[in-house]
Amino acid sequence: MANSTRSADGDSNESPLTRRRWLALCSGAAMAGLAGCGANPDDPNATLSSESTGSEGGSNSNAVTTELHMRAPVSWTPSDSNVNPFSTQGDIEYWMEYMWWESPSYPNAVGEPIYWLAKDISVQGGGCEVLITLDENHTWWDGSPVTAKDYHTTQLITDYKEYGGPDETDDGWEVVDKYKIKNVLSGPANPAVKKVDYYTPVAKHDYYKSWLEKFEDASGEQAIKGVAKELNDHTVTLKDLTDKGLGCGLWKPAQLSPTNAVHEKYQDHPRADWTNLETFNWHLLSEKQKAIQALNTGKLDFGDKLTDQARTNDQTEVFSRFGMSGVPKLTMNWNNEHLARRPVRRAIAYLIDSEEVVKVIKSAHGIKYNSRKTVFGMSSSLISDWVSDGFVDKLIDYGSTSKPEKAASVLKKAGYSKNGGVWVGPNGSKVSGLTYLTPPWNIYKSVGKYFSSKLDEFGFKNNLVVPSGSGFYKRWDETYDFDLCNWFTTGSHPAYAYSTVEVSGLGNYDEIAVAMEKTEGCTVNRTEPELDQPTSEKLQHPIRPKFPKQIGQKSLNSGAGQTLYPLKWHKIMLQTQDTQEVKQLTEKLAWYVNWQVPHVGFYDEVKVYWGNTNKFDFPSLKADDHPHAEETKAEHRTTAMEFLMKGHISAKTK
């Protein structure tokens, strides 16, 4: 699932986890459409469009205002950005691009599909074909229609750039007619997963067809890589985006300055009449104190940061709050002799005080998250939809508060003793000098400082390391130079929460597995892949360990366990048409994580939106808040505030 940066207060000066960086970390992801923003660097106040906004898009004759002001909480220099959707050289966060482009679909916080460019997505042919029907009312900013050919070109260029060409991928793309495109799959797809998998913003065929021709004319792997590099280096400015009609979103950039990015409504967008707003001003306020000042002086109408300040402001109030799929967690590297022992990991699980972590974040950042009861590898809001009643209560209860006495008991049973305030293992090795790595995101730094000291007090001596953004990614993704690391688990479906292709899921296991043979016909692949080695390369997780059959059993009796098959089970969850089978596998994987403790979640992320409810009508989770709520209610539970700019906000009328 697409996610925003982890710096939830948005005030870090470090580079955020952009969608481009996410792609670099998740090499198997086939996502394109990456966007930035550019303008004429010689004119920082450039007017990018001379078109009149008019008032055709929705009745605004009695509106109290036609403008909305919001904060862009990122360190962003529009004139230095690149809006080439196939370039990795922009500085935007992934959610920014969804204002300027449309994707066929997008998952909301609980995995439900949001349809934007698509009118319908249906899984057919026994699960091996997906028919995407586009909404015929979408047009590019030059007035030409957005068609299946545009999306087809986007996908083919992505195949060349990411994989070396369509022949090197398992899937195929066919244009059925002007507004229908078929995705032919190598195996069946679980509809609940696949319908939200088409979140790549579409690129314009007329502009990028020359690049597709270059790829098709390239002879050999090196030639294709050369075209890919040339495309990656190609610059598209924000002026190009507007002048050449390369965007198709509801909000069209109009003016830029170093402190404000003004957007005007694209009047021919199919949702233009959903809102009476004509303009929104995107104030570039990366510094927290300046943003607080702007909020206190009434210059901000809407946002998802500075929640405490918004609650105490006379002009704003919280209008929506809901649980998300993100679970920031402590990842443990089993290359360390102590962390490779389950009792040590369980001791850490008992030590984590989720309720206190939530209080620390609330005090330091003004954001109220939800505490976690125990370890199971998914968000609390998500697991309730995928396990049977009472399942969580059967798991090992590590608790939402710290239990140092249980942690000590677990260690002593494993042969550990305490000497001079430091725990010592059965072979005399001290639990000291642990490298505790955290990314330079404000909330994660606060959690790191808090829990590092708690580990020290308990007798697990550690050194907290907070490198720069690039320094963190090198240690996290290349050298593995850490013992503990603050990272996150995310996933709007169990198949993503327990993914085998990334450490943000169950673990990165695919890299050491022999490719699974394809099954004949459109049938679920239930084979057990061969392994090149018994453990993962990165964190030394065992791939096929034994774990108890009985949920809640703390020790494994000889010969009484069951075997974990993460790659096989993950493939089944991605392919099966049987919801009940997904639930059964979810329980197995949740129990394994609870028993093995490869990582421990600190808290459940929560999304909060606030706004000036005296001047504006905002959406909530209710289904009757506006005329289009029933067909788009999934959009009311989204994870980036720009998604709510797709016509759901209007000014009050006099």
Side-chain angles (χ1 to χ4, degrees), residues 195-264:
K195 286 186 177 183
V196 299
D197 205 28
Y198 299 97
Y199 48 78
T200 297
V202 65
K204 191 175 183 181
H205 167 80
D206 286 350
Y207 185 85
Y208 289 99
K209 64 181 179 181
S210 62
W211 289 100
L212 180 56
E213 292 168 355
K214 288 182 180 181
F215 277 120
E216 292 173 338
D217 293 341
S219 177
E221 180 180 351
Q222 291 306 312
I224 290 174
K225 288 183 177 179
V227 176
K229 183 181 186 306
E230 186 181 351
L231 175 58
N232 188 69
D233 295 340
H234 177 66
T235 297
V236 178
T237 67
L238 187 57
K239 191 173 190 304
D240 291 330
L241 185 68
T242 55
D243 289 355
K244 298 177 182 180
L246 303 183
C248 60
L250 177 60
W251 295 102
K252 187 175 181 179
Q255 291 184 332
L256 291 179
S257 76
T259 59
N260 191 14
V262 180
H263 288 69
E264 295 176 349

Side-chain angles (χ1 to χ4, degrees), residues 102 274 342 347 471 577:
E102 299 285 353
W274 286 25
R342 188 181 311 108
Q577 312 288 297

Side-chain angles (χ1 to χ4, degrees), residues 353-372:
D353 193 317
S354 184
E355 293 182 14
E356 196 166 48
V357 171
V358 168
K359 291 178 182 177
V360 168
I361 295 172
K362 180 70 168 61
S363 175
H365 305 281
I367 300 174
K368 184 181 179 181
Y369 288 123
N370 290 339
S371 60
R372 291 180 61 78

Side-chain angles (χ1 to χ4, degrees), residues 139 177 238 299 351 386 429-430 548 625 644:
T139 59
D177 61 30
L238 187 57
K299 294 181 180 179
L351 282 178
W386 291 100
S429 174
K430 294 182 178 180
D625 281 329
L644 295 180

Side-chain angles (χ1 to χ4, degrees), residues 33-50:
L34 308 182
C37 186
N40 183 351
D42 297 324
D43 185 4
N45 296 290
T47 298
L48 301 178
S49 173
S50 59

Side-chain angles (χ1 to χ4, degrees), residues 157 226 263 440 486 491 512 522 550 647:
I157 290 178
H263 288 69
N486 286 347
I512 54 89
C522 191
Q550 182 178 339

